[in-house]
Amino acid sequence: MMHIISALVENKFGAFNRVVTMFSAKGYNIHSISIGETEDPTVSRMTIVTEGEDKVIEQIVKQLNRLIDTIKIIDMTNQPKVQRELMLITVSYQKGTRSEIIDICEIFRGNVVDINNRTIMLEITGPPDKIDAAINVLEPFGIKEIARSGTVVLRRGEQIRKLPKEYESDHKKINGDKK
Amino acid sequence: MNTKKNKMSGADIFFECLKREGVEYIFGYPGGAVLPIYEKLYDIDFLKHILVRHEQGATHMAEGYSRATGKVGVVLVTSGPGATNTVTGITNAYMDSVPIVVFTGQVPTHLIGNDAFQEADICGITRPITKHNFLVRDISELASTIHQAFYIASTGRPGPVVVDLPKNVMNSITEFNYPDKIELRGYKPKVFGHQNQIKKAAMMLQKAKRPLLYVGGGVIMSGGNRELYLLAKENNLPVTMTLQGLGAFPGTDPQSLGMLGMHGTYWANQAVNHCDLLISLGARFDDRVTGKIETFARNAYKIHVDIDPTCIDKNVVVDLPIVGDVKHVMAELASEITRKPDLDEWWEQINKWKSECPLEYDMSDGRLRAQFVIEKLSELTKGEAVVVTDVGQNQMWTAQYYKFNHPRSHITSGGLGTMGFALPASIGVAFAVKDRPVISISGDGGFQMNIQELVTAVYYKLPIKIILLNNSFLGMVRQWQELFHAEKYSFTDLSDGNPDFVKVAEAFGVKAYSTDSPHNVEHLLREILDYNDGPVMVEFKVAKEDMVFPIVPAGASISDMIIRRLDPKEMV
Ligand SMILES: Cc1ncc(C[n+]2csc(CCOP(=O)(O)OP(=O)(O)O)c2C)c(N)n1
Ligand SMILES: [Mg+2]
């Protein structure tokens, strides 16, 4: 099963590398990975989409926690969350098909970001299944190139990083242990 | 914050930090990138630099020193080849969770990435084999980085840390600030186990009819041997140990079942098979211990105490995990037990297994056997020596036949199985241990890896007693060839290739003896134990085709152990 793991890591030389090295050293696969700064410039957020049985995912989370440069690891899979991915996709068009492609783009609430006399580039964002659906629909026109950013997620309704470990149990008491 | 206002060079700061960390020895080898450090070292007297003959030797020495003392071992090497030569030793320390800090020189920061002379990306190379590593890019980070390196190496589940030091950083100047406190928001090792979990464990223990303590190197690392002793003695519990756990509980105590696993005793493995409660203390369910996972201790409720959460449920899914320092957890567990389990029947069963299949070897043909040598050594030293072993049959026979009575007395390469470990590691031990004999045991194959460190032992007049068990074979590999690979002794026969070991030793300045007769064993062992004028070696020429028994074939259930070589008479 696919899991989405959100990792807050030190924004330091080598930290990203350490995470990726752990995955390859232990033989875990990475479906997608994205990284960027957070509201605190000393912290980066990595969002890793990986696949494995529960036991494997549990090991991945523990192994990530064990790295010195990781600050907090959350398996977001079953959390209330907003999940997005950005895709740039270049599609060929013929005389009659250009407006059809632009229609599709609108249905997916995308933008046309580049065009020349043979191809058109679209920008589409959304959850990964929406991106997959867009690719499927555009396939028959002739896809030239795709770039996907990888998934990013945030938990709904709270800022995870502002919640140090010590307060976690209090937090649970207040909010009730969500099961 | 310490705010002395004097300016210091990177190299000065380096030594000031080592002083504050209480470093006594550096095992090192100089080169271009560390020249600024060696320049300062010339006038340093608060620590001793030990000049090795190969950087791999330095890492094993640091590991030997650390394992004998519990302190952090320190290595200093140059960039490029100096750094890459440490890779095996670092991996060895990583696999066996030994705290060492390896300082590597690096080309100046402006040349990094340019394929400069003797540049190697040692941080990239060692990322998967270190607990953590650092490249110090600016002198302002130097002191805090060194402080963190020692802290990370020695706390939690210990392990090696690499600190890469570019040459220009060592030459630059700054104010010295030594942080008193370390704040690492991503690293907070947990010491105390969960109270309720410990209570549950105590409950299970009181109910158990056939409990077993399965003890690993973690108990020794945590300094918990005393707590283990009390827990086991007060409740009459049987104790079996892993290769790295040997010495955590006295081998001569009747409650010790010896080692378990692939070459474990019959009765220890039987106890694992039949126990109804298995308490793992600082051990990691390694495949050499468990054999086939599905059948390992299949009747038992399993409790796993470990400081490293990644160890729990990694190989074997346990019923009750307790994350914490095993020393504390054992003490608390002992204090929670109010009613001692009645184990008379269980002990009767274990003792029956013990008498059914004792460890044995056959010397009736008059030829010398390694087991005999180790048994004699154990007798003569009364289990009081520090014994460092190499890898192969020599290692397993020592584990089986030497009765270790103290922690930090059995030092061997377990996780990685690095041939060539024993000699340099014993050198590191000999710097730390002065009141007990230090014995280094190797096979004829492994002795030739890192044999160059004989010079180091001679130069520093270290009274190491080297026992060479020469079976003219890569014996352990030969054993597998005989048992599992159609007796094709492919490239394991060393009889024509081996040098005259006595001459080699003498050329290095080591006093050396050799024998192939069982009658000479005792007096030669006495001879080397009494010899104190530097290192001394004795070569025992032992039977070539002998094998380590019992053996659980890799991946088999431990109940499928092979007890001894089939006698041709039995085979009809
Ligand atoms: C560096 C290294 N290379 C290869 C091996 C594989 N190996 C394991 S045991 C062994 C044989 C060791 O022979 P020897 O040192 O003579 O010891 P013996 O088993 O004969 O006691 C070998 C080659 C290893 N463990 N380490
Ligand atoms: Mg041999």
Side-chain angles (χ1 to χ4, degrees), chain B residues 56 88 390-395 397 416-420 442-447 449 469-478 492 494:
Chain B
Q56 184 188 351
T88 301
D390 215 74
V391 169
Q393 295 181 316
N394 61 87
Q395 178 185 37
W397 280 322
L416 194 63
T418 309
M419 284 170 70
S442 296
D444 47 316
F447 189 56
M449 295 190 179
L469 296 172
N470 182 358
N471 52 8
S472 306
F473 259 100
L474 298 174
M476 186 56 92
V477 183
R478 186 204 166 282
T492 46
L494 302 180

Side-chain angles (χ1 to χ4, degrees), chain A residues 10 17-18 42 59 62 66, chain B residues 133 185 308-310 312:
Chain A
E10 297 284 350
N17 224 318
R18 234 176 274 285
T42 67
Q59 263 299 314
K62 285 185 191 171
R66 182 155 86 147
Chain B
N133 61 22
R185 54 185 165 181
D308 180 359
T310 65
I312 286 169

Side-chain angles (χ1 to χ4, degrees), chain B residues 262-325:
Chain B
M262 181 174 274
H263 291 297
T265 62
Y266 173 72
W267 56 98
N269 282 338
Q270 283 293 64
V272 171
N273 274 336
H274 292 89
C275 64
D276 64 356
L277 174 68
L278 184 80
I279 305 185
S280 165
L281 301 165
R284 59 187 176 93
F285 294 84
D286 177 71
D287 56 277
R288 285 299 188 257
V289 161
T290 61
K292 193 172 171 190
I293 292 282
E294 295 75 31
T295 58
F296 179 74
R298 72 169 104 183
N299 303 314
Y301 184 89
K302 300 181 192 75
I303 300 175
H304 190 174
V305 184
D306 206 292
I307 197 156
D308 180 359
T310 65
C311 278
I312 286 169
D313 287 351
K314 183 176 64 180
N315 300 333
V316 171
V317 178
V318 296
D319 304 293
L320 181 67
I322 304 178
V323 176
D325 186 324

Side-chain angles (χ1 to χ4, degrees), chain B residues 482-495:
Chain B
E482 176 170 346
L483 291 174
F484 313 119
H485 292 274
E487 298 178 42
K488 305 276 186 219
Y489 300 118
S490 184
F491 299 96
T492 46
D493 187 346
L494 302 180
S495 42

Side-chain angles (χ1 to χ4, degrees), chain B residues 390-391 394 419-424 440-454 466-469 474 499 501-502 504-505 508 510 537-539:
Chain B
D390 215 74
V391 169
N394 61 87
M419 284 170 70
F421 174 80
L423 176 62
S440 173
I441 300 178
S442 296
D444 47 316
F447 189 56
Q448 293 177 70
M449 295 190 179
N450 289 328
I451 198 166
Q452 76 284 347
E453 301 306 335
L454 282 175
I466 300 165
I467 294 178
L468 175 61
L469 296 172
L474 298 174
F501 285 107
V502 169
V504 171
F508 279 108
V510 176
M537 183 189 92
V538 52
E539 173 193 25

